[in-house]
Amino acid sequence: MSKGKSSKTSGKGQNPLQAPRGTRDFYPEDMRRRNWLFAHFRSTAASFGFEEVDAPMVEHLDLFKRKAGEEIVDQLYHFELHDRHLALRAEMTPSIARMVIARQGAMRFPIRWFTVTQNWRYERMTRGRKREHYQWNMDVWGEPGVEAEAELLAAMFTMFDSLGLDRGKIKVRLNSRGLLEESLREGVLSDRPEVFAPLCVVIDKIDKIGAEAVTEQLCDPEGGVALTALEAARVIEILSARSLDEAAKFAAVGSPAIAELSQLYTLLEAYGIADQVPFDASVVRGLAYYTGIVFEAFDAGATLRAIAGGGRYDRLAETLGGKPVPAVGFGFGDVVIGELLEDEGLWPDLKPEVQDIVYAFGPEQKPAAITVASRLRRAGRRVELCLGKSKLKRVLGDAGKAGTERVYLIGEDERARGVVKIRDLAKKAETEEPIEG
Ligand code: HAM
């Protein structure tokens, strides 16, 4: 697997015994954490009435290709195979859109779907950014009103709460692309509405490259957006608003975007999360398909990259060839939240989940040990059967550390009497029961 041009040189000077840069192996201790985190993703989504869906990790490249100059398109892992040009998914949203479009006539909207999937982006690596990551997505399709946004933001905070993160530790910065769109509608967008998406993609870089460089790109006559200096200055000015009141000053009287934002904040009050969701006009997001409210979650100290991001994308279905259907959702990565949990000391001490160990002293007692292990497994216990010639001392030592509850011991004496000895590690007590139970 390689990215575009580099395919001819791939393999040179690379050690096949190392995982490709930016990818991760998950050893048992890593999997325990991953499963713990994903269980929170799943239970939070379920508690909001969302259903899980999935799609192939490989799609036709054209599903992901967009022309707005987004980073994500340049970062695709893609390859040709039997005359097909395929790509690993970099995000879940296009696949979800494809699935919705395929059943559009047959579904009752709104639908609430969630996914937990691995995504591939050939990123320049920094802290919190890898070349593969898992993402929890929650999306609502078919609801045009901000009640959907409010539910999604509430789900995000439910997730943060369930991980043990205090409310003060997270901020979700929120804006509406609609505000910007309104302010440019009479000007540049009146004859070139298509420049809005690339314009947002450029603005999204403001934190990284600064206002001057953004202005330069916006005004570049070759750059696809080609604003006048006045229009660009207006855009930069609008981005500086840090409250709804400030934003309202830039908006037209009776602005629908401001009305929508106010309605959303009323709902967020009811969920008790409005204080954690500051308005910030500089948040526009780097993906072209967003059309309305957009938001990004950060650690309150803003020391890490975005934990999650999302927004409304009411025109994606149409853009991909389906019938129009409004949609809104978010993606929540596993990497940055993992770092935050580490920084905050919030990862629990997760042990292997073996409850019982069955140990035979010699080969003659192995059949009896198998009988005991099978019986316990049928009863729903998680049972490790000792293999080969394990040393009892080591087995007991490991069991103590791993949090195993009981060790079942069968020596010749027990076998002859048809019993198994049970050592309860917590109570430090020994009992016996028949081998057959
Ligand atoms: P995104 O902002 O590109 O949005 O990604 C969402 C989250 O995924 C980010 O906030 C970050 O936590 C994580 N993430 C993204 N790229 C990486 C990376 N290279 N390494 C580690 N973590 C990463 C989307 O993907 C949208 N499709 C989300 C969405 C769903 N919007 C509507 N519905």
Side-chain angles (χ1 to χ4, degrees):
M1 185 79 53
S2 64
K3 195 200 161 238
K5 287 192 294 244
S6 61
S7 60
K8 288 195 184 67
T9 54
S10 76
K12 261 190 201 163
Q14 286 163 19
N15 180 353
L17 287 181
Q18 271 171 9
R21 217 167 109 74
T23 68
R24 296 167 290 176
D25 292 321
F26 289 87
Y27 285 89
E29 60 276 19
D30 309 311
M31 267 326 271
R32 288 201 288 272
R33 286 187 166 190
R34 188 172 113 183
N35 287 336
W36 178 84
L37 183 68
F38 289 10
H40 283 79
F41 290 157
R42 292 196 160 94
S43 63
T44 302
S47 75
F48 279 74
F50 282 59
E51 283 205 286
E52 186 163 8
V53 296
D54 202 358
M57 185 185 287
V58 176
E59 296 271 13
H60 294 288
L61 173 68
D62 284 344
L63 183 70
F64 300 120
K65 266 193 169 168
R66 295 185 289 256
K67 294 194 198 85
E70 298 154 285
E71 258 189 344
I72 196 168
V73 175
D74 293 334
Q75 293 169 338
L76 286 168
Y77 281 79
H78 59 99
F79 53 94
E80 276 180 60
L81 200 64
H82 302 298
D83 295 332
R84 290 198 174 85
H85 208 157
L86 303 167
L88 297 187
R89 71 162 156 256
E91 54 159 343
M92 198 58 194
T93 313
S95 301
I96 300 212
R98 185 179 60 64
M99 289 171 72
V100 170
I101 291 168
R103 291 211 179 160
Q104 217 165 353
M107 276 192 304
R108 252 208 17 229
F109 292 103
I111 54 167
R112 299 167 176 82
W113 281 356
F114 82 93
T115 54
V116 182
T117 60
Q118 192 177 29
N119 304 313
W120 294 83
R121 300 183 189 184
Y122 198 84
E123 290 259 7
R124 282 238 322 268
M125 287 204 308
T126 54
R127 189 175 181 210
R129 284 295 173 270
K130 299 199 175 292
R131 291 185 178 159
E132 55 72 27
H133 71 281
Y134 283 86
Q135 227 185 68
W136 169 47
N137 280 229
M138 282 180 73
D139 290 271
V140 178
W141 283 77
E143 173 49 55
V146 290
E147 282 168 61
E149 275 88 340
E151 272 280 277
L152 291 167
L153 290 162
M156 248 189 208
F157 278 98
T158 302
M159 176 67 195
F160 290 130
D161 290 346
S162 79
L163 295 177
L165 282 156
D166 293 341
R167 280 291 167 94
K169 299 274 181 202
I170 304 290
K171 286 276 175 272
V172 177
R173 295 155 57 199
L174 181 131
N175 184 24
S176 164
R177 280 193 181 184
L179 264 181
L180 255 184
E181 208 255 343
E182 281 175 17
S183 77
L184 297 170
R185 199 175 290 157
E186 303 297 308
V188 61
L189 298 181
S190 64
D191 29 284
R192 291 192 302 138
E194 69 282 359
V195 302
F196 187 60
L199 175 128
C200 290
V201 170
V202 172
I203 293 173
D204 180 60
K205 302 181 208 159
I206 198 158
D207 280 350
K208 228 189 269 173
I209 64 176
E212 219 168 286
V214 163
T215 305
E216 214 167 280
Q217 290 190 18
L218 290 177
C219 296
D220 180 358
E222 308 290 300
V225 183
L227 298 190
T228 63
L230 212 66
E231 283 165 340
R234 176 81 175 155
V235 166
I236 302 292
E237 197 186 0
I238 293 171
L239 299 185
S240 66
R242 289 293 176 276
S243 72
L244 218 46
D245 287 344
E246 265 180 61
K249 285 185 210 149
F250 297 116
V253 181
S255 150
I258 292 285
E260 198 177 63
L261 282 162
S262 314
Q263 192 195 346
L264 176 57
Y265 273 104
T266 307
L267 297 173
L268 297 183
E269 289 283 353
Y271 284 102
I273 54 173
D275 288 348
Q276 279 79 46
V277 187
F279 176 82
D280 182 337
S282 72
V283 173
V284 290
R285 310 264 303 133
L287 298 168
Y289 49 64
Y290 293 115
T291 51
I293 303 275
V294 281
F295 48 86
E296 267 177 351
F298 288 90
D299 63 298
T303 55
L304 304 170
R305 309 260 325 235
I307 302 168
R312 181 163 283 280
Y313 51 102
D314 285 348
R315 288 198 283 275
L316 183 60
E318 258 172 288
T319 313
L320 293 174
K323 291 195 211 85
V325 50
V328 54
F330 68 76
F332 185 121
D334 67 328
V335 179
V336 182
I337 194 68
E339 287 174 352
L340 185 59
L341 292 173
E342 191 71 49
D343 290 356
E344 296 291 325
L346 285 173
W347 278 114
D349 181 17
L350 299 164
K351 302 243 163 70
E353 293 193 340
V354 172
Q355 294 172 301
D356 300 328
I357 292 177
V358 180
Y359 181 89
F361 281 85
E364 304 76 26
Q365 298 97 42
K366 291 272 181 183
I370 289 170
T371 303
V372 171
S374 304
R375 160 167 75 76
L376 292 169
R377 286 169 182 158
R378 277 197 302 277
R381 305 282 295 173
R382 293 186 294 272
V383 183
E384 178 184 304
L385 177 66
C386 288
L387 305 174
K389 292 190 210 150
S390 340
K391 286 220 165 57
L392 180 60
K393 208 168 147 196
R394 182 176 286 177
V395 169
L396 290 173
D398 289 349
K401 277 186 238 146
T404 307
E405 293 163 25
R406 298 189 292 235
V407 181
Y408 287 72
L409 302 160
I410 312 176
E412 192 41 34
D413 170 51
E414 285 81 19
R415 191 189 67 88
R417 291 190 292 118
V419 297
V420 55
K421 197 178 272 174
I422 309 168
R423 191 173 292 180
D424 187 314
L425 296 184
K427 293 188 196 141
K428 296 196 167 36
E430 270 189 10
T431 51
E432 281 184 0
E433 69 181 27
I435 287 169
E436 305 288 346

